[in-house]
Structure formats: structure tokens, C-alpha cells
Amino acid sequence: PISGETLSQKLSDFKLEGSFSVTPSTASIGDTVQVTIKDFIDKTWTKTVSGTVGLPKITLGGVLVNTPAVNPNTNGEATFNLDIPNGVPSGTQQLKIAASTGSYAANSPTTNLTISGAVVTLTPETNLVPNQTITVIGSGFTGSSDISATAGDASSITIDGSANGLKTASSDATGDDMSKINEGGDVDIDNGGNWSSSIILPINDATTTPGTHELKITDVDGRSGTVDLVISDRTLVLEPMESRVGTTITISGTGYPADNTKTGAESTPSVSIRYTVSGTAQTVATLTPDASGNITGSFTVPLNTGIPSTNSVTAEFN
């Protein structure tokens, strides 16, 4: 220092902001995650109990999360667990801490948590046919909920967005046919969000169209899961492919509505074998598919068939 002079130096201002992190970064409904906070005020938080909002509020995707009793240390740090509540949408959601009154941090800190969607699996998975019984298993649905047999609630089961022959939601409570789901009873979801049920595929426009379709299942609390439903191609094979009038032709085919004796199954439609002569189709055989949707049989080449001629043979069902 120089005699007679006063020297001073101003330190830079800085702002202390609270922050927090969550582990793991992906979770499902009902899972427990670990939260770590830093630079919060050193004071005890009020625990959220039923009917009471504690301080501070903790929300996930806008849904209030039960606040544990937390007492940050003198450095404003604490680690605690949170349970993912029902009603949180799937996808990346914002986890937010905000005080109702007073201040718990220098800002309103947030972090993201990815909520896994509900999962649906099928047995069998492919080569499915109409009127077949499949086993459906769900996980990640709303805990202790159900897929109800009652019309007018939010639960539904649809194929390509249509509930034709299945369970409709409250927005369209007509045409419910819960007899095809779980033998007509409620599907109970356990407290971990898991369930299992049988479903009989209805005979409708979707299930009679070969290829991949979306099966979507929604519980009464609105949580949904989807899975691909792969409908088998239909085939028709004739042996031999060339013959004379009055001779016998053997028929085989796959992918037709299955014969099913389960409660809720539809009557198995018969398959008409139609032989077209000079533009006019005539029924030459009527067959009933087996439990796998296969047909076998034979017919006689009509005596009025032109010689020579090439004629179409079609398998039809309603």
C-alpha cells in the first residue's frame, strides 16, 4: 500500500441457483426414482399426505407427486426417493420442484424424466386369423386398475382404431362385445401395472385383411399400449391345375376364420368354393375351416365348362 491512499477491490457478483437430478432417467408408472437436490435452503420440507399438498410441490408431467419428508443439509443438499404416480403420460416429461410459499431454491429447478409407455405382447404373434383366440399380456399400465366389461367407461380395445366386435370407450359406447375379452369379465391390472387376458379376434374388415394392424388397449384410467397384429395371408390351392369336365379337384387353403368353441367366439362362417363358367359363378363345394383357419375338400369340374377354357375358382365367406 502507498501511504495516504486507500485501495479497494469489488468482487464479481454471482447467483446461486438450485439444481436437481434424477436416476434413472427412464422409468415406468409405479417405479421408484432417486432425486438429488443441490443449493436448496436448509429447512425441513413438509411431507405430502393424502388430501394435503406439501411444500415444496413436486410435479411430473403436470401430475402432483407425493413429496417425502426431506431435510436438506447445511449445504442445501439432499437425496430422496419418489414413486412415479398414476396418470403421468408416457414420453419425456418435466419433473419440477416449486414452493407454494417462501423460497426453497434460488430458482424453480426442473429436469426431464422419460416415462416408458405401456407394453403389450401377444401369443402367438404372427399368422393370426379371424375368430382365433390369442393370449395378450400387458405391463406398464395403471396399477390396481382394470379394463372394464362395463360400457361407457374409458377402457377400450381397438384394431386399427375400430372397436367393431370389441370393447369401445365412453366416447362410443355402442357395439361392446366384451365376451371376446377374458371370457366376458373385467381384466384386472395388479398394483404393478401387469395383466393377462385372452382375446378372440373378431371377424371384421381389419382381421379379414392380411397384413399388419395396430391392436390398442386402454385401461379405465386412460393409459394405453399398442402392439402389431399380423393377419395371415389367405391361400387357395387346387390340385391338379388342369383337368377335364366331370373330374375331381382337390382343394386346400389357409388364413380363413378359425373354428372356435370358446365363449364369445363367433359361429364359423362356411367357405363357398365358386367356379365361374362363361361369366356365371356357381357353388361347387361348401367347406368349414378348422381351428387353425385351414380348409380342405374337393369339387367336381362342372359338365357345362367350355372345352377348352380357362376358368376362375374363388373361395368366399361372409
Side-chain angles (χ1 to χ4, degrees):
I2 301 174
S3 176
E5 294 183 0
T6 300
L7 299 178
S8 65
Q9 182 179 8
K10 180 181 179 180
L11 298 177
S12 298
D13 293 332
F14 70 95
K15 183 179 181 181
L16 187 64
E17 294 188 345
S19 65
F20 74 107
S21 59
V22 60
T23 304
S25 59
T26 299
S28 300
I29 300 296
D31 285 353
T32 299
V33 296
Q34 186 178 78
V35 174
T36 299
I37 61 172
K38 294 182 178 181
D39 297 324
F40 276 67
I41 291 178
D42 174 18
K43 66 181 295 183
T44 301
W45 297 3
T46 304
K47 178 178 174 59
T48 297
V49 295
S50 179
T52 302
V53 177
L55 299 177
K57 290 182 179 180
I58 301 179
T59 59
L60 176 61
V63 177
L64 186 66
V65 180
N66 184 46
T67 305
V70 178
N71 185 16
N73 62 22
T74 55
N75 294 322
E77 300 177 350
T79 297
F80 54 92
N81 292 334
L82 292 179
D83 295 329
I84 308 301
N86 291 335
V88 178
S90 59
T92 301
Q93 304 298 331
Q94 187 180 70
L95 185 65
K96 183 176 182 179
I97 299 179
S100 295
T101 59
S103 177
Y104 286 82
N107 61 345
S108 294
T110 62
T111 190
N112 289 332
L113 180 63
T114 300
I115 303 300
S116 301
V119 176
V120 179
T121 58
L122 306 178
T123 303
E125 298 178 334
T126 59
N127 295 324
L128 305 175
V129 296
N131 215 33
Q132 178 180 358
T133 300
I134 60 176
T135 298
V136 185
I137 297 174
S139 61
F141 283 77
T142 307
S144 303
S145 182
D146 63 25
I147 301 162
S148 173
T150 304
D153 58 59
S155 63
S156 66
I157 298 180
T158 62
I159 300 175
D160 289 348
S162 171
N164 184 11
L166 292 167
K167 174 68 170 64
T168 59
S170 56
S171 60
D172 178 15
T174 61
D176 288 10
D177 193 0
M178 275 297 291
S179 62
K180 286 185 172 54
I181 298 108
N182 202 35
E183 300 281 344
D186 287 357
V187 178
D188 295 324
I189 304 173
D190 67 22
N191 58 10
N194 306 305
W195 57 270
S196 177
S197 174
S198 64
I199 294 181
I200 298 172
L201 298 178
I203 304 175
N204 59 26
D205 288 343
T207 62
T208 56
T209 302
T212 301
H213 305 270
E214 181 192 73
L215 175 65
K216 182 177 182 180
I217 301 177
T218 304
D219 63 32
V220 294
D221 292 286
R223 191 161 178 80
S224 299
T226 61
V227 65
D228 285 342
L229 193 71
V230 182
I231 301 298
S232 175
D233 289 332
R234 277 191 300 280
T235 65
L236 182 64
V237 178
L238 305 180
E239 180 62 37
M241 293 293 291
E242 296 184 7
S243 188
R244 299 182 176 87
V245 298
T247 58
T248 299
I249 305 297
T250 299
I251 316 164
S252 62
T254 63
Y256 296 86
D259 183 28
N260 196 333
T261 59
K262 287 275 189 180
T263 299
E266 299 181 53
S267 298
T268 307
S270 58
V271 178
S272 298
I273 305 302
R274 307 271 284 169
Y275 193 104
T276 301
V277 178
S278 301
T280 300
Q282 49 190 302
T283 300
V284 292
T286 301
L287 308 176
T288 300
D290 64 17
S292 298
N294 303 320
I295 57 171
T296 57
S298 62
F299 69 89
T300 301
V301 177
L303 297 178
N304 61 341
T305 301
I307 304 173
S309 62
T310 299
N311 306 286
S312 67
V313 179
T314 306
E316 301 177 358
F317 63 91
N318 290 323

